[in-house]
Amino acid sequence: MVNKQESLLGAITFFAKVHAGEVCGTNGLPLTPNSIAILGRSQKLKELKHANLCQYLDVIRGKHERTVVVSEYHGTPLQSKCRDSLNTSLILRIFYQIAAALKELNEHNIVAHNLEPKNILLDAYDNVKLFNYGLYYMTKSGEHVPFPIGNIKYMPPERLLGIKNNFKSDVWSLAMIVAELLLQTTFWPNLKISNISRKILSFCQSTNIFEKIAREHNKLDAFQALDAELRNLLEQCLAVKPSERPLPSDILNHSIFIKNLDLYLVTPIEKSSTLLLRMPLEQIYYWWQLAGGDVQAELKKEGLIRSEAPILSIPQIVCLNGNIVGPKRSQSYLMDDRVVNLKLHNLIDRLKRIPAMAYYPLIHSPKFPYNFGLGMDQLPLVIREKDIEYQFYRVRLFSRLLKGYPYTSEMIRKEAAIDIPPLLRGPIWACLLEVIPNGSYDKIDKFTPTSTDRQIEVDIPRCHQYDELLSSPEGHAKLKRLLKAWVTAHPHYVYWQGLDSLTAPFLYLNFNHEEIAFHSVYKFIPKYLQWFFLKDNSAIIKEYLCKFSQLTAFHEPMLAQHLHNIAFIPELFAIPWFLTMFSHVFPLHKILHLWDKLMLGDNSYPLYIGISILKQLKSTLLASGFNECILLFSDLPDIVMENCVVESQKMYDSTPKSISHRFHVVREHELGPFDITPDVTLAQMQKEMSPRISANDLNAMLKSDPNCMLCLDIRSPSDFNRVHLPDSINIPFNGKNLGEEKKSLETLNEPQLEEKMNNRIIICISNVHEHAVEFSRFLVECGVTRVCILHQGFNVLHSIEPNILVSH
């Protein structure tokens, strides 16, 4: 069985307030459900990590506006502790550590507003952790829920008068809790809420509230026996005017604590003998889910989620204004503050065979077999992402690698080529894009109105709004800031529709780290979309689509020929693909897997993704005319993303780099005389059905793997006999034969040519470029795959040293 130490997680649930009827916002769109607004606001809480705060791990949106919150939960609630067992020294320790927790919350502009003994946990070392402190913040000061937040007994007078979000309200609550402990009593145990509220409001006319409370509970002797310094501090904390109360930081620096500080600081906890429990809580929770853990199922077992027959909730009357008359809301919709422990025994049992060395892999030791799970990379990605042991190895490995970034960049890239664990995808992508936050994002003006604001505000409510996080008001605000920051940081660019879709995946993965999301977009665009966001980007897009057409002809000649014959050009369907790197046409979960591979490729990789999509639709496209193709791409069928990734990777790896060469890219090296030279115009490219290959790539293949290519030399026999490439075939160019209606390789009169071409890159070589263009078109029309043209023709080969030509 799992002991208390091994029950680290707890869950609570509540319902958000339901909007009345079909109410729309100022933008004319339906109001965002309050549960989605709660989900967006709660993400900030997941970043809080402090010794005196329970860590938030997950917020789940269920049916009918239900919200489930999962957080750290272990220890004993203060209300369950026997007050007689709490001596003054321990009470002061609790006082100090709660003040430390409140100071941390104040630094993040968060007010607890529900500080009470049941939300204060004490572990075996009497360390304090606040629980459920974010409920008031995530519900926007209680606006998003139909119930009051907090225990009125511990509320200050200003809360009852409607004043919200004052840091010093928590100081009053803290003082009331400590006063109860010191006086060893419970205040007003038998009074109704209305009477307690009158009591608290009556304090507005009192001078010494602590003494008044002690007299009411017949604890004057205990009050007078207290240390004068402590009594004075509590009297300050219980001042009626918030301005007269100390801040949590002032309490921590009070002399009563400073003189014996060691007694009040957090005691280091002895490490668990179970290695799993030493891991970060977010990782434990992730593995717990993979091991079959289901939060909502656990809540159902404890009766916190109860299902009722839908017929019982049918309204009797629905008015025109949206008001509903019907049965009273079920009792199950009321706030139930019970906490359900999420037991870890199943997870511990599943991982008991994991060797101890796997918890802390020694990534720099060549003798250490850190790459557990070998062979799993052959399984489908969906299976790997659900396998608990495999994900354990991958998460622990990447956790170690990320700590060493940027020095482990190459190792991260190598491991990411296998797969990326979903839990760490955001930081891994940032590493692959060489992102190093430097604080520059905070300095960018993201608030001054600009001419693009109107378009941004129109686009955001349409950007991946099926995702609950991105559709939340917090998600909208963050996405707007990111887009405005990017536009401000790039004065030479303009905002094009699609930039929002391009930014959304980075925001989704780095919701609490706007700076990392911004720098990721900042690095991503020049790498894959250089100059796409110029005011006049027509030349860049035309070149991109022209290269896409050529590569389609290279890998899928019959399909390219069919699309060309029906005039279904890439301009009609592919611009949104490449302008948004497919994030506008695919749902977010597919984009994540697609971009996992995209991040590892260069600027040409998206072209192969586009071809792999066409390959999946090949049979449909070949049987369709122009109108049918238009309809097909207006509502793209479901694409199997894993097949798309595998196919694009194969094409990317097997295609020489110069074949996908474009001029509008960021270059790491200057072009040489044997590369594709800049004198090739867009008009020339558009006339060529097949791409060009550089002399450099031809020479490299000739040296490393000459069998992977076949050179078809279409010069005259006399020129060929004088000098030619080894193993090349001479097929003299004859334009008359190529012009026949029925295209067939037999007209070339070369025996076994089709067999010789099989699985090879076909390079057309000529001294007259137009002849090579026409001959390559003929081959494509015959259905020959991987046809290209040697850039600068045969003569460029004379200049290569050492000489690669043979002569007779």
Side-chain angles (χ1 to χ4, degrees):
M1 292 296 291
V2 180
N3 59 39
K4 286 186 178 180
Q5 185 192 6
E6 293 170 351
S7 292
L8 300 176
L9 312 177
I12 61 169
T13 184
F14 58 87
F15 282 92
K17 189 185 294 181
V18 180
H19 293 302
E22 296 293 326
V23 182
C24 291
T26 54
N27 59 0
L29 297 172
L31 288 175
T32 304
N34 284 321
S35 56
I36 287 182
I38 290 170
L39 180 68
R41 286 181 64 85
S42 65
Q43 299 306 305
K44 179 178 178 179
L45 298 170
K46 290 161 74 173
E47 291 305 302
L48 297 179
K49 292 183 181 178
H50 187 270
N52 298 118
L53 294 175
C54 287
Q55 183 182 343
Y56 276 87
L57 297 168
D58 197 10
V59 177
I60 305 163
R61 182 173 178 255
K63 295 179 181 178
H64 311 301
E65 292 294 87
R66 178 182 290 281
T67 298
V68 179
V69 181
V70 182
S71 71
E72 181 182 4
Y73 188 85
H74 62 96
T76 306
L78 183 58
Q79 70 177 12
S80 302
K81 284 271 187 180
C82 177
R83 279 172 167 68
D84 296 336
S85 65
L86 299 176
N87 55 44
T88 304
S89 178
L90 179 53
I91 294 170
L92 284 174
R93 179 184 174 86
I94 293 169
F95 193 177
Y96 181 88
Q97 292 194 15
I98 295 175
L102 295 179
K103 178 176 178 287
E104 178 71 12
L105 293 178
N106 292 174
E107 288 174 358
H108 290 87
N109 293 317
I110 295 173
V111 183
H113 267 330
N114 65 343
L115 199 59
E116 55 179 306
K118 71 178 181 182
N119 289 333
I120 298 167
L121 304 177
L122 290 173
D123 65 14
Y125 298 85
D126 289 326
N127 292 321
V128 170
K129 276 189 182 287
L130 295 194
F131 172 73
N132 201 24
Y133 53 85
L135 182 62
Y136 193 76
Y137 174 82
M138 70 170 72
T139 58
K140 198 179 179 182
S141 306
E143 291 179 20
H144 296 328
V145 286
F147 52 82
I149 294 175
N151 188 331
I152 197 168
K153 189 191 299 185
Y154 303 100
M155 288 183 188
E158 70 268 14
R159 276 288 306 280
L160 301 180
L161 296 172
I163 297 173
K164 300 178 179 180
N165 294 316
N166 190 316
F167 294 150
K168 294 186 177 181
S169 295
D170 287 341
V171 173
W172 173 287
S173 303
L174 170 58
M176 290 291 282
I177 292 168
V178 173
E180 272 192 342
L181 298 177
L182 289 169
L183 298 178
Q184 296 185 354
T185 188
T186 300
F187 296 159
W188 311 301
N190 301 317
L191 287 187
K192 294 180 180 179
I193 290 177
S194 56
N195 293 332
I196 293 174
S197 61
R198 288 193 194 97
K199 287 275 186 187
I200 293 171
L201 289 173
S202 70
F203 291 155
C204 295
Q205 299 172 346
S206 304
T207 51
N208 193 324
I209 294 166
F210 189 18
E211 183 179 347
K212 182 177 180 180
I213 293 172
R215 287 181 184 277
E216 279 186 21
H217 292 84
N218 297 318
K219 293 288 183 178
L220 187 60
D221 292 341
F223 169 79
Q224 292 173 341
L226 291 175
D227 179 78
E229 200 173 14
L230 174 57
R231 203 166 55 208
N232 182 53
L233 175 58
L234 285 174
E235 287 169 359
Q236 291 176 34
C237 294
L238 292 172
V240 173
K241 293 182 180 178
S243 59
E244 295 176 359
R245 295 176 209 152
L247 285 166
S249 54
D250 299 327
I251 295 173
L252 295 176
N253 293 320
H254 195 277
S255 58
I256 198 170
F257 297 116
I258 295 296
K259 57 190 177 186
N260 292 307
L261 192 58
D262 291 342
L263 295 175
Y264 312 126
L265 294 174
V266 173
T267 304
I269 299 173
E270 184 181 341
K271 290 184 178 180
S272 171
S273 58
T274 306
L275 283 176
L276 176 67
L277 302 181
R278 301 184 189 181
M279 298 297 103
L281 275 176
E282 58 271 21
Q283 294 183 14
I284 293 175
Y285 176 63
Y286 174 63
W287 297 323
W288 178 82
Q289 290 176 298
L290 291 178
D294 185 336
V295 180
Q296 298 198 47
E298 294 295 325
L299 292 173
K300 282 180 181 177
K301 286 180 190 175
E302 298 296 327
L304 268 74
I305 295 180
R306 285 171 281 174
S307 56
E308 296 179 354
I311 195 170
L312 297 177
S313 60
I314 293 177
Q316 295 167 350
I317 300 173
V318 179
C319 302
L320 291 175
N321 62 3
N323 290 334
I324 294 174
V325 179
K328 291 182 179 180
R329 202 173 196 198
S330 166
Q331 292 292 307
S332 63
Y333 282 78
L334 299 176
M335 175 62 179
D336 190 331
D337 59 4
R338 284 180 291 167
V339 182
V340 175
N341 283 302
L342 306 181
K343 297 179 174 59
L344 302 179
H345 62 272
N346 188 39
L347 172 62
I348 293 171
D349 187 57
R350 288 286 300 274
L351 295 178
K352 65 184 178 183
R353 293 184 301 275
I354 300 289
M357 63 182 70
Y359 285 87
Y360 302 99
L362 304 174
I363 56 176
H364 290 294
S365 172
K367 297 180 181 178
F368 187 79
Y370 62 85
N371 199 355
F372 293 96
L374 286 172
M376 284 285 290
D377 55 333
Q378 303 303 315
L379 294 174
L381 185 60
V382 177
I383 294 176
R384 280 180 273 157
E385 289 192 345
K386 299 297 182 185
D387 187 279
I388 180 172
E389 288 193 20
Y390 184 73
Q391 284 301 308
F392 176 87
Y393 296 135
R394 300 298 287 167
V395 167
R396 289 309 303 152
L397 173 60
F398 273 107
S399 297
R400 302 287 278 181
L401 290 173
L402 289 170
K403 284 183 179 179
Y405 178 78
Y407 307 106
T408 53
S409 297
E410 284 305 312
M411 297 179 75
I412 290 173
R413 180 169 288 274
K414 178 185 171 185
E415 291 298 329
I418 300 171
D419 58 39
I420 294 176
L423 181 68
L424 301 173
R425 184 174 271 123
I428 291 171
W429 277 14
C431 294
L432 295 176
L433 291 169
E434 300 177 356
V435 168
I436 299 178
N438 54 14
S440 60
Y441 178 70
D442 294 333
K443 300 174 185 176
I444 299 174
D445 181 8
K446 301 177 278 291
F447 305 100
T448 302
T450 63
S451 57
T452 59
D453 286 1
R454 176 61 185 154
Q455 188 60 55
I456 290 174
E457 286 170 4
V458 169
D459 287 346
I460 286 175
R462 301 181 298 192
C463 179
H464 293 292
Q465 292 306 283
Y466 55 85
D467 181 78
E468 295 170 346
L469 205 53
L470 294 179
S471 67
S472 66
E474 197 73 15
H476 285 190
K478 287 175 179 286
L479 187 54
K480 183 178 180 180
R481 286 199 294 269
L482 285 170
L483 294 174
K484 283 177 67 69
W486 189 88
V487 172
T488 303
H490 296 84
H492 53 294
Y493 282 159
V494 296
Y495 175 82
W496 279 89
Q497 282 183 288
L499 184 62
D500 54 330
S501 297
L502 204 59
T503 307
F506 293 110
L507 174 59
Y508 175 79
L509 294 176
N510 301 284
F511 201 80
N512 290 321
H513 302 283
E514 274 185 56
E515 183 173 16
I516 292 178
F518 171 77
H519 284 293
S520 296
V521 178
Y522 193 94
K523 294 267 190 176
F524 183 86
I525 288 177
K527 185 174 180 180
Y528 299 102
L529 294 163
Q530 178 71 344
W531 298 310
F532 264 66
F533 293 93
L534 288 172
K535 189 171 185 179
D536 181 10
N537 61 1
S538 57
I540 291 87
I541 289 180
K542 283 177 181 176
E543 183 199 32
Y544 205 99
L545 296 179
C546 179
K547 184 56 65 175
F548 177 58
S549 295
Q550 289 184 346
L551 283 170
T552 305
F554 185 80
H555 288 285
E556 288 293 328
M558 297 304 293
L559 181 57
Q561 184 63 25
H562 174 70
L563 296 179
H564 176 76
N565 290 340
I566 65 172
F568 190 64
I569 56 177
E571 280 83 347
L572 297 173
F573 63 90
I575 291 177
W577 289 8
F578 300 122
L579 188 64
T580 66
M581 285 295 112
F582 308 94
S583 62
H584 182 69
V585 290
F586 290 129
L588 208 53
H589 69 276
K590 290 191 173 183
I591 288 300
L592 300 180
H593 288 147
L594 192 64
W595 283 17
D596 281 350
K597 290 296 180 187
L598 178 67
M599 297 286 178
L600 299 166
D602 59 19
N603 56 71
S604 68
Y605 194 88
L607 295 163
Y608 301 106
I609 295 173
I611 298 168
S612 66
I613 294 171
L614 293 181
K615 285 184 79 167
Q616 282 198 39
L617 304 172
K618 182 177 178 179
S619 57
T620 307
L621 289 171
L622 288 174
S624 302
F626 180 84
N627 292 335
E628 291 87 349
C629 289
I630 288 289
L631 289 172
L632 181 69
F633 282 95
S634 64
D635 186 15
L636 201 64
D638 191 33
I639 299 294
V640 181
M641 195 50 63
E642 187 160 2
N643 293 350
C644 185
V645 168
V646 170
E647 282 295 325
S648 58
Q649 189 68 44
K650 282 181 184 176
M651 288 186 281
Y652 176 76
D653 292 337
S654 64
T655 307
K657 297 303 175 199
S658 60
I659 283 181
S660 59
H661 169 88
R662 292 185 298 116
F663 293 108
H664 296 104
V665 294
V666 177
R667 292 189 204 293
E668 294 180 2
H669 308 290
E670 290 293 322
L671 292 173
F674 301 116
D675 292 313
I676 309 283
T677 47
D679 57 349
V680 182
T681 65
L682 178 61
Q684 286 176 306
M685 282 180 62
Q686 290 172 331
K687 291 176 183 176
E688 300 165 7
M689 196 165 197
S690 296
R692 302 185 183 206
I693 189 171
S694 70
N696 263 339
D697 276 346
L698 184 148
N699 187 29
M701 287 190 292
L702 193 63
K703 290 177 179 177
S704 62
D705 187 9
N707 292 326
C708 74
M709 67 174 185
L710 178 65
C711 296
L712 299 183
D713 193 328
I714 63 173
R715 295 175 301 145
S716 66
S718 58
D719 288 342
F720 180 81
N721 289 331
R722 190 178 305 114
V723 63
H724 57 266
L725 278 168
D727 299 321
S728 60
I729 298 176
N730 183 222
I731 303 178
F733 178 77
N734 186 340
K736 294 179 181 178
N737 292 343
L738 303 184
E740 293 179 358
E741 287 187 13
K742 187 179 180 182
K743 309 294 183 182
S744 173
L745 293 177
E746 294 176 4
T747 60
L748 299 178
N749 297 319
E750 178 66 31
Q752 298 181 326
L753 181 59
E754 194 168 345
E755 292 179 20
K756 294 174 183 177
M757 287 179 168
N758 192 30
N759 290 326
R760 288 181 165 190
I761 295 172
I762 313 303
I763 305 176
C764 301
I765 302 175
S766 176
N767 278 333
V768 182
H769 182 69
E770 289 73 19
H771 292 174
V773 171
E774 192 174 341
F775 187 74
S776 65
R777 184 183 295 275
F778 170 79
L779 294 177
V780 170
E781 290 171 348
C782 291
V784 179
T785 58
R786 303 207 287 175
V787 177
C788 56
I789 303 164
L790 178 62
H791 177 61
Q792 295 180 317
F794 185 84
N795 289 337
V796 73
L797 302 177
H798 288 290
S799 305
I800 294 178
E801 294 181 358
N803 181 36
I804 60 172
L805 300 174
V806 294
S807 57
H808 294 293

